[in-house]
Amino acid sequence: MSGALLLWRHGRTAYNAGARLQGQVDIPLDEVGRWQARTAAATIRRRYAPARVVASDLSRAADTARALGALLDLPVELDPRLRERGFGEWEGMAGHEIEARWPQEYARWRAGSDPEGVGAESRAQVAARVGGAVREHAADVVDGRTLVVVSHGAAIGSVVADLLDQPPGWRGVSGLRNAHWAELAHGPSSTPRWRLLGFNLGPTDASSDWDAGPDVPPAPETADDSTRDPD
C-alpha cells in the first residue's frame, strides 16, 4: 500500500476562538469553522484522490468530514477512537484558569510532560488509541488513493509521532491550524514505514486571515494564547 494519508484537523469552534481546552467536550463548529471546512474540502478534492473519509464522532470533526464527503459523494465513517485527547477536569478551561488552580501541573504540561491527577490521557495513550485506528483504516486504501482521517490537534500530533516511530513526548511537529492537515505516505519497506510529506497544509489563497474567515477585518486578539494548540 502506497496511498496517501491525510490527517485533517476540524474547523474552528467557539472554544478554539477563545483558546479554551476542548478535549472530548462535543463543541460544534462556529460560522468561521464551517467556512474553513468547506474551503479546505474543496482544496483536498482538487489536490488528492480520496477513497475514504473517516472521522472522530465528535461533531466538530464529523461535520468537517461531511463537507468533504458531500463534495465527493462519499460516506463519512465515524470512529470514536479518533477523538481528541481527553483532558479531564481541564476541559472547557482557559490557560489562566488552569494555571490558577493547578500551577505545578500546568507548568509540567507547558514544559511537555503529561499532567497528572486531573484525569487527562497521556500522550502514549492517545497515540496507541488513535494510531491503532489510523493503521486499521489505512490498510484498506489501495495504491494511488487517499485516506482522509478527520481528527483533532493534539490527537493528530500524537499519531504523527507514533507513525514516525518517535516517542510519545516528541514535539517535532505541533500547532496544526484549524482545517489544515498533515500528509503522510506509507512504503512497503521503508523505516519508519510512514514518511511525513507535509504538515500544516491547507488553502494558501482562501483568506488573508484564515482564523477570521473570508476576508473581513479581524477582531482584536483577546484569546488566551497559552492554551491554543498546546500539544
Side-chain angles (χ1 to χ4, degrees):
M1 194 276 290
S2 58
L5 167 65
L6 301 188
L7 300 174
W8 186 22
R9 188 186 178 200
H10 61 80
R12 196 184 82 167
T13 71
Y15 272 22
N16 290 143
R20 290 190 173 274
L21 200 58
Q22 291 179 118
Q24 297 187 3
V25 178
D26 199 3
I27 303 297
L29 298 174
D30 65 11
E31 183 178 354
V32 169
R34 291 189 292 272
W35 169 81
Q36 289 175 338
R38 294 192 303 269
T39 304
T43 299
I44 290 172
R45 181 180 64 171
R46 288 195 303 269
R47 293 184 189 174
Y48 304 96
R52 291 179 64 201
V53 182
V54 185
S56 157
D57 63 341
L58 296 177
S59 62
R60 58 191 184 270
D63 288 345
T64 298
R66 290 183 183 115
L68 179 61
L71 287 180
L72 300 171
D73 196 25
L74 284 175
V76 173
E77 306 165 55
L78 301 183
D79 187 338
R81 294 175 295 174
L82 300 172
R83 287 184 178 188
E84 178 61 297
R85 181 183 183 182
F87 280 97
E89 297 178 64
W90 289 3
E91 293 186 357
M93 301 181 72
H96 68 275
E97 296 170 331
I98 299 170
E99 186 176 22
R101 293 181 59 184
W102 294 275
Q104 293 182 342
E105 285 307 312
Y106 180 79
R108 283 173 47 83
W109 177 49
R110 295 301 301 170
S113 298
D114 292 322
E116 297 178 355
V118 297
E121 285 184 286
S122 69
R123 287 192 180 89
Q125 289 171 324
V126 178
R129 169 170 59 81
V130 183
V134 168
R135 287 181 172 87
E136 178 182 310
H137 294 303
D140 295 330
V141 178
V142 298
D143 288 355
R145 303 304 297 272
T146 300
L147 168 66
V148 180
V149 173
V150 189
S151 188
H152 309 264
I156 290 173
S158 290
V159 78
V160 167
D162 185 55
L163 294 175
L164 298 179
D165 293 342
Q166 298 297 318
W170 184 71
R171 301 175 76 180
V173 294
S174 63
L176 191 63
R177 300 183 72 185
N178 285 114
H180 282 54
W181 59 88
E183 180 183 353
L184 297 97
H186 182 277
S189 59
S190 61
T191 301
R193 298 294 296 275
W194 289 93
R195 297 295 175 91
L196 182 64
L197 304 182
F199 190 83
N200 247 336
L201 303 174
T204 58
D205 56 357
S207 172
S208 58
D209 186 347
W210 178 251
D211 294 323
D215 280 322
V216 295
E221 181 57 66
T222 58
D224 181 351
D225 283 333
S226 63
T227 39
R228 194 182 300 280
D229 302 324
D231 283 335

